Amino acid sequence: MNIAIDGPAGAGKSTIAKLVAKELGFLYVDTGAMYRSIALYFIENNVSLDDEDAIDNACDNINIEIKYEDGVQQVYLNGKNVSLEIRQEQVGNMASKVAAKKAVRDKLLSLQRDIAADNNVIMDGRDIGTFVLPNAEIKIYLTASVKTRAKRRYDELVSKGESPDINKIEADIEQRDYQDMNREIAPLKQADDAIFLDTSDMNIEQVVAYICNLTKNKSGD
Ligand code: DC
């Protein structure tokens, strides 16, 4: 069984998907982490986004592996565990840019489909319900207002001891939304058969319970 969760940056996809995976005993597949790993490679190797040959070349030299250690997804870039490094803001912003490149998307597609073919997965990203897993049994489009998403991100950074600028976070989110929704290949949009969930006024437990119930009802069909 496959659950697809799509939505904009900061909607809470990974938090929700991890909890649903735990409750249902599914594998959680974070596709954003794969794009982030490629972005990290581009940053570390100064790959220009304007140079299609350099991008093709980089894609040939990148090996992404997904492993599960104690049930948690770990991403390896050319043999190195980059799961923590890829969480930096700068890497997320670059990921949104590299994700618009066809060579990059082609590279990750089969990896994502193969994992879903072999396991019960809950996979989150931007194009999972529309493109990667069009036959997923459950599809959710998870979103929240820009203000809510920026405030959540702000609170998260404050809790880590940082002093972020909320206006800058809001501007970054708006820019990422624009890039992810307006690119030519596999842009972020709600699949026709996806359920729209605006979590601005819902807490995490409510969203998790909703998706778990939906899945249990579906598997009992
Ligand atoms: O979900 P995230 O913030 O980790 O994703 C980082 C970027 O990767 C996001 O801005 C767009 C891109 N992405 C994508 O294009 N398709 C996916 N399935 C997942 C992420």
Side-chain angles (χ1 to χ4, degrees):
M1 189 146 184
N2 292 167
I3 306 173
I5 311 241
D6 291 300
K13 299 185 298 295
S14 69
T15 307
I16 303 290
K18 267 184 215 156
L19 291 167
V20 171
K22 201 167 175 193
E23 178 152 346
L24 299 176
F26 279 33
L27 218 52
Y28 165 51
V29 185
D30 172 0
T31 63
M34 302 176 188
Y35 287 96
R36 284 169 180 264
S37 303
I38 294 191
L40 181 64
Y41 181 95
F42 277 44
I43 294 169
E44 285 178 342
N45 294 279
N46 293 317
V47 180
S48 163
L49 290 169
D50 301 323
D51 185 343
E52 298 301 327
D53 288 341
I55 292 172
D56 285 348
N57 206 12
C59 285
D60 287 343
N61 289 320
I62 291 174
N63 179 35
I64 307 271
E65 285 168 288
I66 301 297
K67 296 184 186 169
Y68 287 87
E69 296 170 8
D70 295 327
V72 178
Q73 174 180 301
Q74 303 289 335
V75 193
Y76 287 79
L77 170 63
N78 292 341
K80 181 181 168 211
N81 189 334
V82 292
S83 308
L84 286 180
E85 253 174 284
I86 57 171
R87 292 295 142 204
Q88 299 163 45
E89 218 68 39
Q90 177 208 7
V91 178
N93 291 336
M94 182 64 157
S96 175
K97 296 194 174 87
V98 305
K101 302 291 176 189
K102 185 172 185 311
V104 172
R105 301 205 77 83
D106 286 351
K107 183 170 182 77
L108 294 178
L109 185 61
S110 52
L111 179 62
Q112 295 164 359
R113 285 189 176 154
D114 288 349
I115 300 175
D118 294 340
N119 301 281
N120 285 330
V121 299
I122 175 160
M123 186 177 284
D124 79 344
R126 303 292 186 286
D127 60 338
I128 310 305
T130 50
F131 187 63
V132 179
L133 305 177
N135 298 321
E137 286 83 353
I138 307 262
K139 296 183 187 178
I140 307 283
Y141 188 85
L142 198 73
T143 190
S145 67
V146 172
K147 285 235 172 315
T148 305
R149 289 186 277 138
K151 176 73 171 57
R152 287 177 187 164
R153 183 73 187 133
Y154 174 84
D155 290 344
E156 188 187 334
L157 292 172
V158 168
S159 76
K160 287 183 186 161
E162 295 180 31
S163 323
D165 171 353
I166 187 119
N167 294 322
K168 162 102 177 50
I169 295 178
E170 222 177 284
D172 278 354
I173 285 183
E174 272 174 349
Q175 192 195 344
R176 273 233 256 158
D177 282 1
Y178 183 84
Q179 283 172 185
D180 294 346
M181 290 173 180
N182 291 285
R183 65 178 178 227
E184 266 174 45
I185 317 162
L188 168 63
K189 66 171 190 241
Q190 185 182 348
D192 292 339
D193 50 352
I195 294 167
F196 180 87
L197 262 189
D198 185 327
T199 67
S200 301
D201 299 314
M202 287 173 90
N203 64 33
I204 293 172
E205 291 72 28
Q206 288 172 319
V207 181
V208 171
Y210 178 83
I211 298 175
C212 286
N213 285 336
L214 208 63
T215 311
K216 286 173 190 158
N217 289 340
K218 193 92 186 174
S219 56
D221 279 355

